[in-house]
Amino acid sequence: MKDIDHKLLVKKIILSRFLEMPLEKYEDYIESLKISPVFIKLCNWKYDKRNRGIIKIINFPKTTGNSGECNWPKNILAEVIAGRDCYLINYRNGWFAKKIEVNQSRLSRFLESEKSTNKKQTIKDLLAKIRLVNIRNSITYKILRGIIYFQKDFFINRDDPYSLKALSFLDVNKWVNYNFKNGVYVDNSRISRTINGKSIITRYGNEIELKKLFSSSRDIKKKYIKKILHLERIGVDKCILKAAYTDREIAKKIKVTYGIDISRRIVGCCRKELGIASSYRRVNTYYSPINFYYSRFFPFNNKSVKKNAPQKSGVYELSATGLEIKYLKGKSKIFYIGSAKNIRKRLPEHLGSSGRNGGIKNFYKCHSCLFRYKLCPEDWNKTEKELYNNFITTFGEAPKCNNIRP
């Protein structure tokens, strides 16, 4: 009994390692199998006039595969192609889409004709390799079909990450074993080992890791919370919002916008896990703070400055239209934050030849720019520093043209 248990354990270990084999190595493994003299002999062996071959090679349904060399990166397993009434799986290697069937009655006749013990052992070793290939190909095919079934909205909606559904290994496991009742059993461990380090190409040409198509319900909710708070930040930047969203308001917006039920308590827990402050604390940590009201935007040129900029003290910001500047934590059109005792006097200095900040001049030459301001009768330098720090908190770095910290 112990010997049987030991053999089963060894077989499980061999299969586990085989499922984790990198794609390039697996391609080499299949190639060595194809060119094996014994394999070729079994494919072509005749035992009567009507039947030919002990081995039959068939494709899995709704699959295709590349016959020649593939230029995809080594981690790409397949691509998903839209067919007439379904999605097709196009593998990087045509042999990934195949199942090798062995006719046992013909094999028995063939073994009877072979007298050499060494040759019989070689055939048994070959059959063991064929079984491993069949198991891996079958498991991979079933997992991909399960993913396509559950995440069809993602593939339909141009790879929109917000179309992804909560999906676990157990969901795919149950679906596969219900719809493919015959053949290799698929469990959570085999799914994990098979998809590890592998990606697919979607119908729109985007590469996505297979692991990213599996998400818990909590991960999906976190994604929507981040989306709502991103919209909150936009509202803050445009001075549209008068207050930050509470957890209850976030839950309501997710329900209305995305149709997902989520409680206020779960919003609070997920928000804390994401490291996002409460609505009370977020009021003064965004750029610009919610309770901070700028003027409207004006064109940044000498004529507009002379007409619209006040001869009073305050803070101002410069931004580019039609351009989003990449920062560490996001994008913004803002490229400079400043302050002055006389805003109308200070802004033309940035436009004139005497201006010391060459970055502002380059933006002004290459892009249409805007300015806006807020009057500060006192402590405008302090207000500029607060805005500068809030910008760094929000976007991860200082505005592109702020060379000196205020």
Side-chain angles (χ1 to χ4, degrees):
M1 188 68 180
K2 289 183 178 179
D3 290 339
I4 295 173
D5 292 341
H6 180 71
K7 287 180 180 179
L8 287 173
L9 180 60
V10 170
K11 286 181 179 180
K12 286 182 179 180
I13 293 171
I14 292 172
L15 177 59
S16 297
R17 291 179 177 175
F18 192 76
L19 292 175
E20 292 177 328
M21 185 185 291
L23 293 174
E24 285 186 320
K25 194 173 180 181
Y26 183 50
E27 285 182 303
D28 293 339
Y29 185 92
I30 289 178
E31 190 62 28
S32 65
L33 181 69
K34 284 166 50 183
I35 63 175
S36 166
V38 180
F39 183 81
I40 296 170
K41 189 174 182 178
L42 291 179
C43 288
N44 298 326
W45 186 75
K46 299 179 183 180
Y47 76 93
D48 63 29
K49 295 180 179 179
R50 292 175 300 170
N51 298 297
R52 176 178 177 176
I54 296 169
I55 290 176
K56 182 181 179 182
I57 302 169
I58 60 174
N59 269 48
F60 293 113
K62 303 172 185 176
T63 61
T64 58
N66 295 315
S67 55
E69 290 187 6
C70 184
N71 295 323
W72 292 344
K74 61 183 180 180
N75 61 310
I76 301 294
L77 170 63
E79 65 176 336
V80 177
I81 303 173
R84 289 185 179 180
D85 56 351
C86 65
Y87 285 107
L88 304 177
I89 302 170
N90 179 38
Y91 288 97
R92 67 178 295 125
N93 188 310
W95 278 82
F96 291 2
K98 298 183 185 300
K99 181 181 179 182
I100 305 170
E101 290 188 346
V102 179
N103 188 301
Q104 293 299 326
S105 62
R106 298 180 194 177
L107 178 63
S108 298
R109 295 191 183 189
F110 178 77
L111 290 173
E112 288 174 4
S113 66
E114 286 289 344
K115 296 180 180 179
S116 172
T117 306
N118 291 335
K119 287 184 178 180
K120 287 183 179 181
Q121 185 58 46
T122 304
I123 293 169
K124 287 182 180 179
D125 293 340
L126 178 74
L127 294 174
K129 291 181 179 180
I130 289 173
R131 279 194 292 272
L132 285 174
V133 170
N134 282 341
I135 291 173
R136 173 161 172 157
N137 286 356
S138 179
I139 290 176
T140 303
Y141 169 72
K142 291 174 181 178
I143 292 171
L144 291 179
R145 289 255 63 101
I147 290 172
I148 291 170
Y149 171 80
F150 284 105
Q151 302 294 12
K152 58 185 175 184
D153 290 342
F154 170 77
F155 293 104
I156 291 170
N157 297 327
R158 294 185 171 273
D159 308 339
D160 178 11
Y162 293 97
S163 296
L164 284 173
K165 295 180 180 178
L167 182 63
S168 67
F169 289 166
L170 184 60
D171 295 328
V172 174
N173 174 357
K174 289 180 177 178
W175 183 88
V176 164
N177 292 313
Y178 177 78
N179 288 277
F180 299 93
K181 294 181 179 179
N182 298 322
V184 182
Y185 180 77
V186 176
D187 58 22
N188 293 354
S189 174
R190 290 181 176 182
I191 293 174
S192 176
R193 294 176 188 279
T194 302
I195 70 171
N196 185 38
K198 299 177 184 69
S199 303
I200 59 171
I201 298 174
T202 67
R203 58 183 293 200
Y204 297 104
N206 299 316
E207 178 185 340
I208 183 167
E209 290 181 37
L210 287 172
K211 277 191 174 181
K212 290 186 177 179
L213 295 170
F214 291 87
S215 298
S216 67
S217 176
R218 199 174 186 87
D219 289 336
I220 296 293
K221 289 172 181 176
K222 285 180 183 179
K223 191 182 296 183
Y224 287 116
I225 290 170
K226 289 172 71 175
K227 178 69 173 179
I228 295 298
L229 293 178
H230 174 70
L231 297 175
E232 177 187 88
R233 177 182 289 184
I234 293 173
V236 170
D237 288 344
K238 293 183 178 179
C239 299
I240 296 171
L241 290 179
K242 295 182 179 180
Y245 295 138
T246 63
D247 292 345
R248 192 179 300 278
E249 288 172 332
I250 292 172
K252 186 177 179 181
K253 285 184 175 295
I254 291 174
K255 171 65 176 175
V256 172
T257 309
Y258 303 106
I260 295 177
D261 286 313
I262 180 171
S263 68
R264 178 198 61 77
R265 184 179 65 82
I266 295 297
V267 170
C269 292
C270 291
R271 178 178 51 72
K272 288 176 183 177
E273 290 172 9
L274 291 167
I276 298 171
S278 64
S279 59
Y280 176 76
R281 292 184 179 274
R282 288 202 309 277
V283 169
N284 292 311
T285 56
Y286 281 138
Y287 180 84
S288 61
I290 288 172
N291 56 7
F292 188 93
Y293 294 101
Y294 275 109
S295 69
R296 68 181 182 87
F297 286 100
F298 300 101
F300 183 48
N301 56 55
N302 283 310
K303 185 178 179 180
S304 175
V305 167
K306 188 175 181 180
K307 180 180 178 181
N308 299 303
Q311 291 183 327
K312 296 180 180 180
S313 60
V315 293
Y316 60 91
E317 70 170 34
L318 305 179
S319 58
T321 60
L323 172 70
E324 286 194 324
I325 304 163
K326 278 191 175 182
Y327 291 101
L328 290 176
K329 292 184 180 179
K331 297 179 181 179
S332 175
K333 296 180 179 181
I334 300 163
F335 60 84
Y336 186 78
I337 298 170
S339 66
K341 187 175 182 179
N342 186 324
I343 296 174
R344 186 186 295 180
K345 184 178 179 181
R346 182 61 183 276
L347 287 176
E349 293 177 3
H350 293 308
L351 297 169
S353 57
S354 59
R356 296 180 180 179
N357 195 318
I360 295 177
K361 290 182 181 179
N362 289 333
F363 270 98
Y364 175 69
K365 288 178 181 178
C366 301
H367 305 282
S368 175
C369 299
L370 303 171
F371 78 91
R372 63 178 180 175
Y373 62 86
K374 176 177 171 56
L375 297 178
C376 303
E378 298 177 354
D379 295 330
W380 61 86
N381 288 325
K382 183 179 177 181
T383 305
E384 178 193 4
K385 187 174 181 180
E386 289 176 355
L387 284 173
Y388 179 89
N389 290 334
N390 284 342
F391 190 95
I392 292 176
T393 300
T394 305
F395 297 104
E397 56 183 312
K400 288 297 179 185
C401 295
N402 280 84
N403 300 323
I404 302 174
R405 192 180 188 95

